[in-house]
């Protein structure tokens, strides 16, 4: 598969809010995001996985500056579903490989994950779309991750700085 | 925020492989995807969240027809990390809202999740990018979900059928 990566980018100030043990029933995500929308919080990515136990892990990312507002909203969620475990991480960055024609992520994922592994960088979260593969990593490893992924795709030009 | 959704799409035959309790240390994702790449499996989305206990949930989607090949690869992963719990779901579809200028997903997410909630459709997984918000739902609710989300964004033209 011809991998056509046109660029690698780094978004530096990312904060993530994770809600673990959220009930996996219709209406929960709508309730959470109606509160987030009411508080006018700008959300970057939303990631959800589900677990065998019938609950889900739902997390979203915001710019670091919006974390306080997001924490207030999510505290309301906790009041509704006391069993849900909430955690925050305000030390993150997002490194992304962008390319058109990524009919499948297999080759891109393999190259990108290997580049981060060889640089001893842990991947905290992953999200993909047709044109982009993004990994959340710790902020202090951002520049190193950008260089490692950039090299993995043999891109000669300087990487673009801000989130594509 | 002016939400500019240009289309809603439905990808019908989606299968998801979920690996729960995966060690959250550098190199694990690279190892999994080197096996997936070797088996020439075409991966659609990759979603990972992490848990407080120091492990992660990593899942990926393939066309239903590739599930068998993916199961073989993932069985090797299980042999490496016996503590990891693997589950499959071959009854999924992916409904997506696509639009440019989605600087933030807040408004789109709220509308889409509310539309699915009102149609009593459960959201199994979520993944986003700048131009797209996707939800995995059960395959038999696909057409209903497409109509509900399409209506939520007041799109007059007929929805596009296959995954955008
Ligand atoms: C967890 C949450 O996404 C739930 N499954 C819902 O449909 O709202
Ligand atoms: C779980 C997996 O993504 C691991 N954190 C890694 O970096 O490979």
């Amino acid at each position: 598969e011809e991998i056509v990566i046109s660029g690698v980018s780094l978004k530096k100030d990312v904060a993530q809010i994770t809600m673990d043990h959220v009930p996996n029933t219709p209406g929960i995500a709508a309730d959470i995001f109606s509160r987030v929308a009411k508080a006018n919080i700008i959300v970057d990515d939303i990631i959800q996985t589900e677990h065998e136990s019938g609950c889900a892990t739902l997390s979203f990312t915001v710019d670091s500056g919006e974390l306080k507002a997001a924490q207030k909203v999510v505290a309301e969620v906790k009041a509704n579903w006391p069993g849900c475990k909430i955690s925050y991480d305000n030390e993150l960055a997002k490194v992304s490989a962008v390319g058109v024609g990524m009919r499948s992520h297999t080759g891109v994922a393999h190259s990108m994950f290997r580049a981060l592994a060889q640089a001893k960088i842990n991947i905290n979260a992953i999200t993909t779309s047709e044109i982009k593969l993004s990994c959340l990593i710790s902020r202090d490893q951002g520049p190193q991750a950008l260089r490692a992924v950039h090299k993995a795709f043999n891109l000669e030009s300087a990487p673009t700085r801000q989130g594509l």
Side-chain angles (χ1 to χ4, degrees), chain A:
Chain A
E1 175 208 359
E2 162 82 84
I3 303 176
V4 188
I5 294 295
S6 50
V8 178
S9 69
L10 182 68
K11 192 177 165 84
K12 288 208 194 75
D13 295 312
V14 176
Q16 184 183 30
I17 300 96
T18 300
M19 293 163 276
D20 214 348
H21 303 295
V22 168
N24 194 7
T25 51
I28 302 292
D31 178 75
I32 294 171
F33 280 87
S34 77
R35 295 170 193 276
V36 171
K38 240 180 246 141
N40 280 327
I41 295 170
I42 303 269
V43 169
D44 186 27
D45 281 317
I46 305 168
I47 307 175
Q48 178 190 311
T49 57
E50 56 177 357
H51 301 289
E52 288 169 340
S53 53
C55 59
T57 302
L58 201 158
S59 90
F60 64 93
T61 55
V62 295
D63 287 353
S64 288
E66 298 242 69
L67 181 59
K68 273 230 178 335
Q71 281 172 313
K72 253 174 72 194
V73 167
V74 168
E76 296 167 26
V77 170
K78 176 95 176 128
N80 260 16
W81 300 294
C84 144
K85 274 214 210 108
I86 299 183
S87 56
Y88 307 101
D89 189 338
N90 196 9
E91 298 299 327
L92 295 171
K94 179 167 79 170
V95 60
S96 306
V98 183
V100 285
M102 268 203 229
R103 206 177 82 61
S104 147
H105 287 102
T106 318
V108 174
H110 180 218
S111 304
M112 189 166 175
F113 298 161
R114 190 180 47 196
L116 294 173
Q118 284 164 353
K120 306 226 185 314
I121 295 172
N122 191 51
I123 302 168
N124 295 327
I126 302 169
T127 177
T128 59
S129 77
E130 295 60 42
I131 59 162
K132 191 167 169 177
L133 176 63
S134 295
C135 294
L136 285 183
I137 56 168
S138 42
R139 190 175 298 153
D140 55 4
Q141 294 179 307
Q144 194 193 347
L146 186 63
R147 269 194 310 280
V149 176
H150 196 249
K151 201 161 145 251
F153 292 115
N154 300 326
L155 292 172
E156 280 322 305
S157 62
T160 52
R161 276 290 148 204
Q162 268 313 310
L164 264 168

